[in-house]
Amino acid sequence: MLKKVFEPIKIGTMEIKNRFVVPPMVVNFANEDGTANERFIAYIEEKAKGGWGLIIPENYTMDPEAKGFLKLPGLWNDDQIASHKELTDRAHKHGAKIVVQINHAGRQTASAITGVQPVAPSPIPDPTIGETPKELTVEEIHEIVEKFGDAALRGKKAGFDGIEVHGSHGYLINQFMSPFSNKRTDEYGGTIQNRARFALEVIENMKKKIGEDFPIIYRMSVNELVVGGLTTEESKVIAMMLEEAGVHAIHATNGVYASAQYIIPPAAVKHGWSSDISAEIKKVVSIPVITVGRVTDPLIAESILAAGKADLVSMGRASLADPHLPNKAKEGKLEEITRCIGCLQGCAGRNVKQLPVQCLVNPMTGNESEFKLEEAEDKKKVLIAGGGVAGMEAAIVAAKRGHEVHLYEKNKKLGGQWILAAVPPSKEELNTLTVWQKTQLNKLGVNINLNTALTEEIVEDMKPDTVIVATGAKPFVPNIPGKDQENVVIANDVLAGLKEVGTNVVVIGGGLVGAETAAHLANHGKKVTIVEMLPEIVQGGEPAVNYFLFKDLEKNNVQILTNTSVKEILNNEVVIADKEGIESKLENIDSVVMAIGSRPVNELASKLEGKVEEVITIGDAVKVRKAFEAIDEGFRVGLQI
């Protein structure tokens, strides 16, 4: 079935072995001086080993005053070339082509990062940052054009196979191109031709320095998805201009910082959502078009190519989840692919905090140079209590290292609370991790014992070398008067289908579990009210995930009461109080759902103390809202035994 994705293709003079593309994603691994270190190189090399045809690392800065993140790679001076030559050499060893994306952040950065006032076509602050940029003079524009060309030449000297011009996502070139950010009335503003002038001058300067035939890809935000921004029809004109200017491919993406939920879309956005937009660009150019946007499965990539919507497919976060996706797909091992679940916790969530990127479902991401999953010299018998995501991850890693592993789960299914987390709207892809973990356990020969809690007696009988306690957490029920009434249920029981609720429901607790349970109930026709003591619900949640969750709650008319506490639960009423302590009642309530939080369950560890040579506890990180830490901890425990 997978045919098109494995066909070779040429971008200019560069021949690529397949249609799988790793698009540029900021990972914050590079040194602050713009050089590449072993962590950055090993991260990219792993993708080359995994079979990706084209790899475009994160955007390279052409001026230290132009970067949008603290630890970006750079090509602003010749001293940086050598380290990046090491990067390209190691990618080439595995048959990948590697292209450098060159960028200037423009107004989408801050003086706290660059040490200087940001610059832009017009002195208008980006809505998401708020710092007013300096309007560039024509002379300054010409200087920046030269710096783009100089950086491109350094990229060629560093062994890159081509250049990608970052003309998307609201950065400087995009800022000139877009009426959303460009309010100039000189030769760089007003008409499409004038707004495109800066980009065309950058391309011309690059060609003068790197040669006419050296491949150039232009990444463009076809639709900025903001009021007053670029739309698809206008971008089709720009694409034709770019082809005429000698660009060899268009990398069609969408969005700016003000519409960032579509740049790195969460699971609530449908698969391949922007391929229809890419198809519009493909209608007006004859050069290859690369599409991107929530493509996490090689089968989706194949369908996009087969439909003629694009010529190559970027699968960024899919490559974080599984850098070996192309090779596994080629070998027909689709069930072994670890799939991105669209949570954004390790990628975008850490990115905006200037932290190194990780991946919730792949603890090796970013740690390729640190962790080695090797066979253990001392083989052990390992017993694991708990078949949630942490326990299963520990079992997988331990089994890969050659240990004899026995996994015990007191319920009839593996997955723990992770199964419940997959029930609310847009969360179904969490099940792909459960399926992958179960596939790995079976493949590795892990002994799985369902409907069986690990007890002291079993431990005494089995005589293990190591016991790992990953028994997770149980819901916490606050001591609210009336909490023991029949109409009061736990969110977990509702999501598991163990308890039914009436038509009019109050959810106590506006954290992630409470909000998503409310969305689940509202989507099934219930009238729902969320009561939360804090000033807002889902505090600390990923902004893009919250964006779509809140839209869902609004669409289904979920009432949200913040700064509000529950004083008492009555037969069909709930007594609440606002932050001033003024009480009122929610009336005609059929059911009350508790979603306050969880507490760890790890009593077994203390019972086994002194009875087993090694007892390791995976703590309260196994709560669903901290699944990132749970999987990472399970992985590390599996490595250490």
Side-chain angles (χ1 to χ4, degrees):
M1 185 173 179
L2 294 175
K3 297 176 182 178
K4 297 289 291 185
V5 288
F6 292 110
E7 292 178 1
I9 187 172
K10 292 185 89 172
I11 292 179
T13 58
M14 173 176 58
E15 183 162 343
I16 304 164
K17 64 183 178 182
N18 60 43
R19 310 299 179 96
F20 288 114
V21 180
V22 177
M25 297 174 287
V26 173
V27 292
N28 292 310
F29 294 163
N31 298 320
E32 287 197 33
D33 65 359
T35 56
N37 52 35
E38 180 57 26
R39 184 180 194 183
F40 183 51
I41 293 171
Y43 158 77
I44 294 295
E45 185 179 17
E46 194 67 26
K47 298 181 190 305
K49 291 177 183 176
W52 297 87
L54 175 61
I55 300 171
I56 312 173
E58 63 192 88
N59 60 78
Y60 276 56
T61 303
M62 32 63 72
D63 186 326
E65 295 182 356
K67 60 185 180 181
F69 294 83
L70 292 172
K71 292 188 175 182
L72 285 177
L75 286 170
W76 64 78
N77 68 56
D78 290 349
D79 293 340
Q80 296 163 322
I81 294 173
S83 68
H84 298 295
K85 181 67 166 62
E86 171 73 11
L87 169 70
T88 59
D89 286 347
R90 283 169 58 177
H92 287 149
K93 274 198 313 184
H94 309 286
K97 298 297 184 183
I98 183 165
V99 164
V100 60
Q101 185 192 69
I102 302 174
N103 185 40
H104 189 306
R107 71 177 188 172
Q108 284 189 170
T109 187
S111 55
I113 293 173
T114 64
V116 297
Q117 182 184 12
V119 297
S122 304
I124 301 169
D126 183 87
T128 66
I129 293 174
E131 187 169 348
T132 301
K134 176 187 178 296
E135 182 176 85
L136 287 165
T137 66
V138 171
E139 182 180 356
E140 288 169 334
I141 292 170
H142 293 164
E143 290 173 359
I144 291 173
V145 168
E146 292 292 335
K147 289 180 179 179
F148 267 104
D150 293 342
L153 179 57
R154 293 187 188 102
K156 184 177 182 180
K157 290 178 178 178
F160 287 97
D161 299 294
I163 307 297
E164 179 168 273
V165 178
H166 200 343
S168 61
H169 297 164
Y171 294 117
L172 185 64
I173 294 177
N174 188 185
Q175 289 162 28
F176 271 95
M177 197 73 80
S178 171
F180 176 63
S181 44
N182 185 348
K183 311 297 180 181
R184 300 174 76 103
T185 56
D186 61 3
E187 64 265 42
Y188 291 97
T191 64
I192 295 179
Q193 297 97 313
N194 281 358
R195 286 186 275 112
R197 189 181 306 277
F198 178 56
L200 297 176
E201 288 179 351
V202 166
I203 293 163
E204 181 183 15
N205 192 276
M206 286 183 173
K207 283 182 167 290
K208 183 173 68 176
K209 293 172 180 174
I210 62 177
E212 284 290 328
D213 294 334
F214 197 69
I216 295 179
I217 302 169
Y218 188 94
R219 196 172 204 206
M220 66 186 304
S221 282
V222 180
N223 198 314
E224 293 184 301
L225 303 168
V226 290
V227 176
L230 288 170
T231 61
T232 305
E233 286 305 316
E234 196 169 19
S235 290
K236 285 159 73 173
V237 175
I238 294 166
M240 290 189 288
M241 290 182 181
L242 293 168
E243 181 175 21
E244 188 175 330
V247 164
H248 301 98
I250 300 288
H251 197 168
T253 180
N254 298 281
V256 295
Y257 274 18
S259 54
Q261 65 273 12
Y262 291 103
I263 297 176
I264 308 176
V269 177
K270 66 181 181 179
H271 287 282
W273 72 275
S274 67
S275 60
D276 288 341
I277 299 175
S278 305
E280 290 298 304
I281 297 298
K282 190 163 167 54
K283 289 177 182 177
V284 298
V285 297
S286 59
I287 53 178
V289 173
I290 308 170
T291 193
V292 65
R294 273 278 288 153
V295 184
T296 61
D297 191 305
L299 295 173
I300 299 291
E302 178 74 20
S303 71
I304 290 170
L305 296 172
K309 294 181 177 181
D311 301 289
L312 300 98
V313 181
S314 282
M315 303 175 66
R317 285 172 301 149
S319 77
L320 296 178
D322 197 332
H324 292 265
L325 179 149
N327 283 346
K328 291 177 181 178
K330 192 171 186 177
E331 294 165 8
K333 299 177 180 178
L334 297 180
E335 75 284 354
E336 292 198 19
I337 294 172
T338 312
R339 287 170 170 79
C340 167
I341 59 173
C343 68
L344 308 191
Q345 291 181 30
C347 49
R350 289 176 61 84
N351 201 324
V352 297
K353 298 172 185 173
Q354 303 285 335
L355 296 172
V357 160
Q358 294 178 271
C359 180
L360 185 148
V361 298
N362 180 13
M364 281 292 286
T365 295
N367 294 310
E368 292 86 357
S369 62
E370 179 184 353
F371 295 147
K372 302 297 179 187
L373 189 49
E374 299 172 332
E375 189 167 344
E377 291 183 10
D378 180 18
K379 303 297 192 301
K380 298 179 180 180
K381 180 187 287 188
V382 181
L383 272 55
I384 300 177
V389 288
M392 286 197 286
E393 188 68 24
I396 290 166
V397 176
K400 283 182 176 179
R401 300 189 65 225
H403 298 302
E404 177 189 333
V405 183
H406 300 260
L407 182 65
Y408 293 82
E409 169 55 49
K410 68 177 181 179
N411 295 312
K412 63 181 180 180
K413 292 180 181 178
L414 294 172
Q417 293 189 54
W418 190 259
I419 295 174
L420 307 182
V423 172
S426 304
K427 298 295 291 296
E428 60 276 0
E429 284 180 72
L430 270 65
N431 284 329
T432 64
L433 176 63
T434 305
V435 171
W436 178 84
Q437 287 187 312
K438 289 169 68 176
T439 299
Q440 291 297 304
L441 293 172
N442 290 329
K443 176 187 173 185
L444 294 165
V446 172
N447 301 283
I448 299 170
N449 303 275
L450 298 176
N451 296 307
T452 308
L454 183 60
T455 62
E456 293 176 82
E457 291 74 24
I458 293 174
V459 172
E460 289 174 2
D461 182 58
M462 293 287 289
K463 295 179 174 55
D465 301 293
T466 301
V467 173
I468 299 171
V469 180
T471 43
K474 62 182 179 181
F476 167 67
V477 179
N479 193 25
I480 299 171
K483 65 180 177 65
D484 295 322
Q485 293 192 111
E486 285 189 11
N487 66 336
V488 179
V489 296
I490 303 299
N492 284 15
D493 290 341
V494 174
L495 295 173
L498 299 175
K499 296 285 185 179
E500 293 187 1
V501 297
T503 302
N504 198 353
V505 183
V506 170
V507 176
I508 301 177
L512 185 60
V513 174
E516 289 186 340
T517 302
H520 168 67
L521 293 171
N523 274 275
H524 286 79
K526 308 299 183 183
K527 181 181 178 183
V528 184
T529 299
I530 298 174
V531 181
E532 170 57 53
M533 294 179 66
L534 297 174
E536 59 186 57
I537 64 170
V538 201
Q539 285 196 354
E542 302 304 332
V545 176
N546 281 358
Y547 175 86
F548 291 102
L549 174 58
F550 294 170
K551 280 185 69 173
D552 192 322
L553 295 172
E554 181 181 10
K555 180 188 73 173
N556 287 292
N557 300 310
V558 173
Q559 183 182 15
I560 300 172
L561 303 177
T562 54
N563 291 310
T564 304
S565 59
V566 174
K567 295 298 181 183
E568 187 176 6
I569 301 168
L570 303 173
N571 187 34
N572 62 349
E573 295 177 334
V574 175
V575 181
I576 58 175
D578 62 19
K579 61 181 178 180
E580 277 80 35
I582 299 173
E583 294 188 359
S584 59
K585 290 182 179 179
L586 300 173
E587 300 178 328
N588 301 315
I589 303 302
D590 300 312
S591 303
V592 176
V593 177
M594 291 283 188
I596 304 298
S598 303
R599 286 182 173 173
V601 179
N602 54 18
E603 292 89 349
L604 180 63
S606 58
K607 292 179 181 178
L608 296 178
E609 193 172 329
K611 297 181 180 179
V612 181
E613 182 178 333
E614 185 177 41
V615 178
I616 305 171
T617 301
I618 299 177
D620 73 342
V622 292
K623 293 184 287 188
V624 167
R625 66 185 179 85
K626 291 188 176 180
F628 190 110
E629 291 91 338
I631 295 170
D632 188 63
E633 192 173 350
F635 176 83
R636 290 170 185 267
V637 166
L639 281 183
Q640 78 180 59
I641 58 175

